[in-house]
Amino acid sequence: MSGEAEIEKARRILNGAKSLAVFTGAGVSADSGVPTFRGSSQDALWGKYDPQVLASAWGFQKDPKLVYEWYSWRRSQLARVEPNAAHLAIARLQERSGAVVMTQNVDGLHERVAPAGARVLRVHGTILEDRCMRCAHWEKVDLNSPPNLRMCLECGAGYLRPGVVWFGESLPEDVWEESQQAARECDAMLVVGTSGQVQPAASLVERAAGARAKIVVVNLEGGLLDEYATAALHGRAAEVVPRIVD
Ligand code: OAD
């Protein structure tokens, strides 16, 4: 856990911001029991599974049932989790200062506690919906009874796949535009629970730092994004974020 001086520095940055942006990754949901992809945890998904197989259009084309079943397993996990103290503190920041939240997470946990009308920009899409491989059809899924692999009933020509962004795919254009703008225009950015290893999402931090925003990084361990940090706090998001927000 970080020292009081660093906590105080982070508090001052968040309180003094005129335009605040928040950028999060899997680590913000770790304290809710959602596994991260990387990091030192033994549960980290990409330590156990191959992202080329399970998180690429190539993998889905090769074995759609295997890939879809893996997402069904993740959906069942998400049916049992709740937002944690970090999500709640970030929602208070949104309420208090109109902070825009940009998240790489597909789990919907920020959205569940965000104040009405607040922006949560999902740069990697959502696991709470499926979309057709062929047409523009999207549909919600019930996390409590995730559906099986099925064809799209709108066009009848394509499988439905999870509405997440896979490796090699473009980010949703409008969301990405808005995120880049928020990164350019903020004067402080709170970065929580991301390894910073996945581009272009992680470039939002570099972009904000390049525009002279102050950067507060909260992460369990040191990582790539500490390079941009005005204040770097190492600890669990659910403990550290409420301390610097309140
Ligand atoms: P990663 O799994 O790469 O990084 C999560 C970070 O959170 C690691 O640095 C961990 O050390 C840290 N961490 C773990 N537990 C924490 C806790 N309790 N509090 C604070 N930090 C903690 O996750 P992302 O950076 O989000 O893509 O990964 C980026 C993308 O890679 C994801 O969006 C996903 C994945 O492939 C898609 O789903 C499209």
Side-chain angles (χ1 to χ4, degrees):
M1 182 64 166
S2 301
E4 197 51 46
E6 202 72 354
I7 295 265
E8 196 45 49
K9 191 172 174 190
R11 273 193 196 124
R12 275 202 305 274
I13 293 170
L14 298 188
N15 278 328
K18 290 191 182 66
S19 169
L20 181 63
V22 181
F23 177 58
T24 68
V28 76
S29 296
D31 294 321
S32 293
V34 183
T36 60
F37 298 94
R38 305 172 189 79
S40 54
S41 164
Q42 289 195 336
D43 294 331
L45 294 172
W46 296 154
K48 296 197 277 190
Y49 304 102
D50 183 350
Q52 279 310 322
V53 174
L54 296 171
S56 74
W58 171 84
F60 188 74
Q61 262 153 20
K62 210 160 157 248
D63 194 343
K65 192 159 179 287
L66 172 84
V67 174
Y68 200 86
E69 280 174 0
W70 188 71
Y71 282 90
S72 297
W73 166 71
R74 284 182 59 200
R75 284 170 166 161
S76 310
Q77 281 186 328
L78 287 176
R80 298 189 300 268
V81 307
E82 295 292 331
N84 65 55
H87 296 106
L88 289 166
I90 289 168
R92 288 197 291 282
L93 272 182
Q94 289 183 283
E95 180 92 64
R96 206 162 76 197
S97 57
V100 54
V101 172
M102 302 172 275
T103 187
Q104 298 165 89
N105 298 345
V106 297
D107 57 27
L109 292 180
H110 284 300
E111 294 90 319
R112 276 170 59 181
V113 292
R119 303 288 289 140
V120 178
L121 301 172
R122 300 185 295 213
V123 298
H124 286 164
T126 177
I127 200 171
L128 311 183
E129 292 176 46
D130 275 339
R131 72 175 173 89
C132 178
M133 295 287 284
R134 290 286 180 87
C135 74
H137 179 65
W138 285 74
E139 66 186 50
K140 280 212 162 68
V141 298
D142 180 359
L143 295 182
N144 288 301
S145 56
N148 292 322
L149 179 69
R150 64 211 183 284
M151 299 298 282
C152 173
L153 291 180
E154 282 293 309
C155 68
Y159 280 122
L160 291 177
R161 54 159 277 186
V164 303
V165 175
W166 280 332
F167 287 104
E169 295 182 327
S170 305
L171 308 191
E173 211 171 312
D174 46 346
V175 168
W176 183 237
E177 277 299 314
E178 209 178 323
S179 301
Q180 286 176 294
Q181 190 181 346
R184 257 194 322 266
E185 292 177 355
C186 66
D187 61 354
M189 180 182 270
L190 170 62
V191 180
V192 186
T194 175
S195 62
Q197 290 191 31
V198 174
Q199 295 293 357
S203 71
L204 291 171
V205 181
E206 186 181 354
R207 189 174 290 265
R212 301 199 173 280
K214 292 187 172 135
I215 312 286
V216 176
V217 173
V218 177
N219 208 69
L220 194 59
E221 51 212 347
L224 290 176
L225 299 177
D226 285 359
E227 170 188 348
Y228 303 104
T230 319
L233 307 170
H234 296 150
R236 301 170 74 89
E239 288 170 18
V240 179
V241 180
R243 284 186 68 193
I244 58 177
V245 164
D246 297 321

